[in-house]
Amino acid sequence: MKTALLALTATMFTLASASAQQTTGVPGSPNATTTIDGKYLPPPPAPFGGTNNMDAKDSKPYWPPTVVPPKGAPNVLLIMTDDQGYGVSGTFGGVIPTPAMDRIAKAGLRYTQFHSTALCSPTRAALITGRNHHSVGFGVITEMSAGYPGYDSVIGPESATIGTILKQNGYATSWFGKNHNTPSYQLSLSGPFDQWPSGMGFDHFYGFMGGETDQWTPFLFRDQTQIFPWVGHPGYNLTTDMADEAIKYMKGLNDAAPDKPFFLYYVPGGSHAPHQPTPEWIKTISDMHLFDQGWEKLRETIFANQKRLGVIPANAQLTPWPDGQAEYGGAKLQKWETLTPDEKKLFIRQADVFAAYTAYTDHEIGRVIQAVEDMGKLENTLFIYISGDKGTSAEGSILGTPNEMAAIQGVNIPVAEQLKFYDVWGSDQTTPHMAVGWTWAFDTPFKWTKQVASHFGGTRQGMAISWPGHIKDVGGIRAQFHHMIDVVPTILEVTGIQAPVMVDGVAQKPIEGVSMAYTFDNANANAPSTRSTQYFEMVGNRAIYHNGWVAATTPPSPPWDLGFGKFPDVVNGYTWELYNLAEDYSENNDLAAKMQDRLRDMQQLFLVEATKYNVFPLDNSFTERAATPRPSATAGRTVFTYSGESSGLPYSDAPDIAGKSYSITAEVDIPAGGAEGMINTLGGRGGGHGLYFLKGKPVFVYNFFDLERFRWEGPAALAPGKHTVVFDFKYDGPGFGKGGTGVLSVDGKAVASKTIPHTIPFVETIYETFDVGVDTRTGVDDNDYQPPFRFTGKIDKLTVKLVLPSAAEEKLLQQKTQETKNKAQ
């Protein structure tokens, strides 16, 4: 039997190697290499080709050959920024300088019809798998995942990423920056880690987990270890640090194995909120006065630039400003001329900081590109630079905000209050976002924004590709219609590596993208697109592209209404539009009423494609979706216990006190001389809560988005010895963001009681972590302490108890939510 198995293994290896393109060195020698067929990954182990006798001197050693990519396979630097619509980068007509992207465009090609999915996680899943976002479980961001194949936010083993494919074919693979493809309920060190970058084929990861992070104190990991590089480094910013780390990694790789090709996936947080560039960049952009004339004038400037650069057709039209009409789903934005001087001052500041963050991000990308050249690898590197993973974000509300966590939970901060943050806008004192008027302008010439998959304002991205020595039409423009899923097959064609049919014994889903490499040839500059059909869908908004035509639903409510707008029946209640892109680049002339038969055919085609790629069931809910129970470590738990010091637990695996009653009980031992320091916190400067000792007194602070702080404090320092400190909060639910009454007690005696009018509606923080005995990022009250604020006593036990809403309260909450929606309609 053993002999038969060995023979089978040898046969499999022979079959897998039969079409291997190159081998080098003497077989069995330490320097022997081989390419592989690549259909089955990993390849079967090579049979031993030496002799193995009792005595080593009578034996012959044999080393299996090292797997390498095909000869001449280039390095690949895949770059994608965040929340940048088509009109953001200077490379595609925007007013913000992006010289690094310009460099790639001038050395290669610009693509004027390239598309995303309209949201973070889904676009990134499509980009690294070459498959549609619903096909790999990312029909929506992971924080809104649901238990359906198209929506569970799990990239299954049947959908190997480009990292896995290239790694198994001999590439060094790395990922720097944002990772929004690990399920939000798997972010803690309890794992599992198969959905972390290391489990998706990346040898090295340096970046942050989740959709966004504070750039000054990021939720940062090196591989699977949480790190804190800002400690002891005033002025630290992740945008620069990440470039430093990528450059250091490439240099180290080059020193160790200069001939080994690399695949480096570089995805910084810019320009996703919070917009946090360095002060120098804010000054540089502010001094340029790019936005003084307002958002409507900005659109006109960008539109003129785009025509001058040739990145929109000469006959393209600028879509109208949203004025509340039906074709805009009722969306209406203020015109600049109607604003007060204070509003203009604030909004210009918001745009300056967004632009500074964008320019800063591009500058650091430029350093990474330059490092490739400095290592002498420029001529054999494929550069792909995508401006944005979806359109510009409208999640800052119509007023903008110094605290984006407030805005995305429906708390709009008045302009007068925002102006108090004017001088620190973008600093570590704020987590800002900009007003929607700028968002709409940065998506010029299209309608709509991020989240809206039905229109190009949400899905059209500028992209530049260069491959020195191979793309001859340098500075050229390509107008073929393509999508994120087309990047993987392009990389595979360029590297000479085929998509596997089986990985780790699991049959693979076919790659659903098509290669764009045909566009590299001058002769194909105007060739028809090899992508003839592409569907789009996100939270009910949907579209279908087919051979130059697009049918799209009209968004029933603008994304800045946060799900409380008018939402019709998701299957049959949407109005559809129809556009001929050959004549109408910007989707300005709706032909639905004139060409009903064609529209009907397109709608039927959407159903076919949606069925094929796991788009059903459609769901246009927001709050209900966000509240869906998920299989996290906290699922169903109401009691959480800790002891000693513990830090870095992500919010998704921490006790969630939002919208419910709860108690926090700390059994502590106070040393001689009294105690000082943090007992328990979740959140920080931008919002959250903390129970701590200050000058020996117990204190509980509830920080409402850095707008109000509610404080409970004991009257005296506690004597040395053991004590029990309890904060008990009774919530005035059901409903979101309600107030309640909190009581702080010591050893069974109430020492402070207060009723507060409101609480954070849904999520206290996504930047900070749950800490016990220490505070690892920012404090909930800067006037009281500065992190790490370690507790000087001993925490014998910390218990957090949650009181979940009763069935009656849940039913009442559903009724109130529906009433709110009905009023909006």
Side-chain angles (χ1 to χ4, degrees), residues 191-235:
F193 297 106
D194 58 308
Q195 297 293 301
W196 284 51
S198 59
M200 291 189 276
F202 292 86
D203 293 318
H204 178 60
F205 171 62
Y206 188 89
F208 62 93
M209 308 291 282
E212 60 215 77
T213 197
D214 188 295
Q215 297 294 298
W216 306 106
T217 57
F219 184 49
L220 192 64
F221 285 78
R222 187 187 301 276
D223 300 319
Q224 294 167 5
T225 301
Q226 193 173 164
I227 58 175
F228 308 87
W230 62 86
V231 175
H233 294 89

Side-chain angles (χ1 to χ4, degrees), residues 255-323:
D255 290 345
D259 295 329
K260 185 167 187 172
F262 65 77
F263 169 63
L264 197 151
Y265 179 43
Y266 194 83
V267 277
S271 303
H272 196 296
H275 304 154
Q276 294 174 322
T278 62
E280 296 81 7
W281 277 101
I282 294 176
K283 183 178 188 310
T284 295
I285 294 298
S286 296
D287 288 348
M288 296 172 70
H289 297 283
L290 299 174
F291 308 107
D292 292 0
Q293 296 183 64
W295 36 59
E296 294 137 292
K297 183 62 177 178
L298 177 63
R299 290 185 87 218
E300 295 171 7
T301 300
I302 294 172
F303 186 66
N305 289 345
Q306 290 171 334
K307 286 205 172 182
R308 176 178 52 81
L309 292 172
V311 295
I312 64 175
N315 66 347
Q317 294 177 296
L318 181 61
T319 53
W321 188 254
D323 57 2

